[in-house]
Amino acid sequence: NQIREELNVDYLVDGSVREYQGQFRVTVQLIKVSDGSQIWSESFNRNIGDILFVQDEIASIVTNKLYLTIQSDDVLKRKVSPEAYNLYYKSRLALEYAEEESVELADSLIRKSIDLDSTYSPAWSHLAQIIYHQTFYFENLNRTEGISEGKYAAKKAFEIDSNNPDPLLRLALFEWESRDVFAALHFLEKANEIAPEDYRVLGIAGKFAIRINELKKAKKYLKKSIKVNPKASR
C-alpha cells in the first residue's frame, strides 16, 4: 500500500537477472500492489552473448502480458468493447509522444474507438485531452471550435461516469482557456471531491487558486499534491 500511495500505481513489474556459466536468466513478475499478489511470472533463458539483442524481445513480451492482464480486468469491470478498448489503449500510447503526427494518430484511433463503443467514459475524456493538444499545442483547430468540441467530449465523459474525475479536469482546462478561472477552479474542486488523492487535480487546482489570489486554498492543494506525489513537483 505504501508503494501504491507513493507511486500512484495499481501494478508493479519486478524482475531479476542471474548469470551462470555463459548463460543468463531473466525472471519477471507482475504484482498487484493492493494485496501483493502475483498475477503472473515468467523466466527467460538466453546466452550471455545475446544479452543486447534480447532486451527488446523480453520487453515486448512483458509489455504485451501486462497489457493483456490489465485490459482483461478493465474490460471486465467496465464492460467496454474489447476492440474499442484496444483502440483506446493504442491512442493513449500515441499521445505520450506529444508530437503533431502522433497526436493526429491518437485522434484518429480514439474516434474509431468511440465509433465502436460510445459508452466508455475514459475514451471521451481522452478525446477531450487530444482536442486540447490539437487546439493549443499545434493549432490544428481554431480556439472557439476546439473549446466547444473539447467541452462536449468532456461533458459526455462525465455524463457516462460521474465518478470519473478526469472529465472535470479537462473541463477545468478548457474553462481556463476561456478565461473563466472561477469556473475552472469549480470543476477542479468537484474533481478533488471524487478523487482526493489525484495529484494532477491537486497541482492544477493549486496553481489556479494562486491566479485568483486564493493563497490559503492554493497552499492546501499544493501541499497535498507534493505529499501524494513528491516526484510530480520536481
Side-chain angles (χ1 to χ4, degrees):
N1 286 333
Q2 182 179 353
I3 294 175
R4 186 180 187 180
E5 291 176 3
E6 289 182 358
L7 301 181
N8 194 30
V9 296
D10 293 318
Y11 297 90
L12 182 66
V13 178
D14 185 28
S16 63
V17 181
R18 293 183 179 180
E19 180 190 354
Y20 180 71
Q21 294 184 346
Q23 300 280 321
F24 71 93
R25 168 175 285 192
V26 178
T27 301
V28 183
Q29 59 179 337
L30 175 64
I31 300 170
K32 190 172 183 179
V33 177
S34 60
D35 58 10
S37 61
Q38 184 185 84
I39 306 299
W40 54 257
S41 177
E42 188 160 343
S43 295
F44 306 88
N45 297 301
R46 297 291 189 274
N47 292 322
I48 194 69
D50 297 331
I51 191 168
L52 296 178
F53 301 98
V54 299
Q55 290 183 69
D56 289 342
E57 174 198 351
I58 294 175
S60 177
I61 292 171
V62 172
T63 299
N64 287 334
K65 283 185 174 289
L66 176 62
Y67 163 58
L68 290 172
T69 301
I70 295 176
Q71 172 187 280
S72 60
D73 184 53
D74 198 63
V75 170
L76 181 64
K77 287 189 298 183
R78 301 178 184 272
K79 298 180 180 178
V80 59
S81 157
E83 294 82 3
Y85 186 90
N86 187 43
L87 290 166
Y88 161 78
Y89 173 79
K90 290 180 178 178
S91 179
R92 288 282 301 270
L93 291 180
L95 192 63
E96 288 181 1
Y97 292 97
E99 297 175 353
E100 188 167 5
E101 288 185 1
S102 60
V103 172
E104 288 176 358
L105 174 60
D107 187 282
S108 174
L109 290 168
I110 200 60
R111 291 181 189 276
K112 290 177 182 176
S113 174
I114 291 172
D115 284 343
L116 284 174
D117 188 341
S118 61
T119 65
Y120 189 48
S121 174
W124 283 101
S125 188
H126 182 59
L127 174 60
Q129 182 182 11
I130 292 170
I131 291 171
Y132 187 91
H133 280 66
Q134 293 276 44
T135 305
F136 301 108
Y137 292 179
F138 303 108
E139 299 182 347
N140 291 329
L141 293 171
N142 68 60
R143 188 182 189 86
T144 302
E145 181 184 7
I147 291 174
S148 176
E149 289 188 13
K151 284 184 178 181
Y152 174 83
K155 288 177 181 177
K156 187 73 175 177
F158 192 68
E159 286 174 8
I160 295 170
D161 183 2
S162 59
N163 291 316
N164 181 3
D166 200 68
L168 296 173
L169 173 59
R170 304 302 158 198
L171 282 169
L173 292 173
F174 281 110
E175 291 293 358
W176 173 265
E177 296 296 342
S178 299
R179 305 292 188 265
D180 193 338
V181 184
F182 289 94
L185 191 57
H186 167 71
F187 283 122
L188 288 169
E189 288 172 345
K190 287 182 65 177
N192 182 242
E193 291 175 5
I194 297 170
E197 301 297 318
D198 191 321
Y199 70 89
R200 303 171 307 155
V201 173
L202 292 164
I204 296 174
K207 293 174 183 177
F208 285 7
I210 290 174
R211 295 296 181 92
I212 59 174
N213 206 32
E214 292 275 1
L215 300 184
K216 288 185 179 179
K217 188 177 290 186
K219 182 179 179 180
K220 179 188 74 172
Y221 283 130
L222 293 174
K223 186 176 180 179
K224 189 171 182 180
S225 175
I226 294 170
K227 182 179 179 181
V228 172
N229 189 356
K231 293 182 179 180
S233 63
R234 295 176 185 175

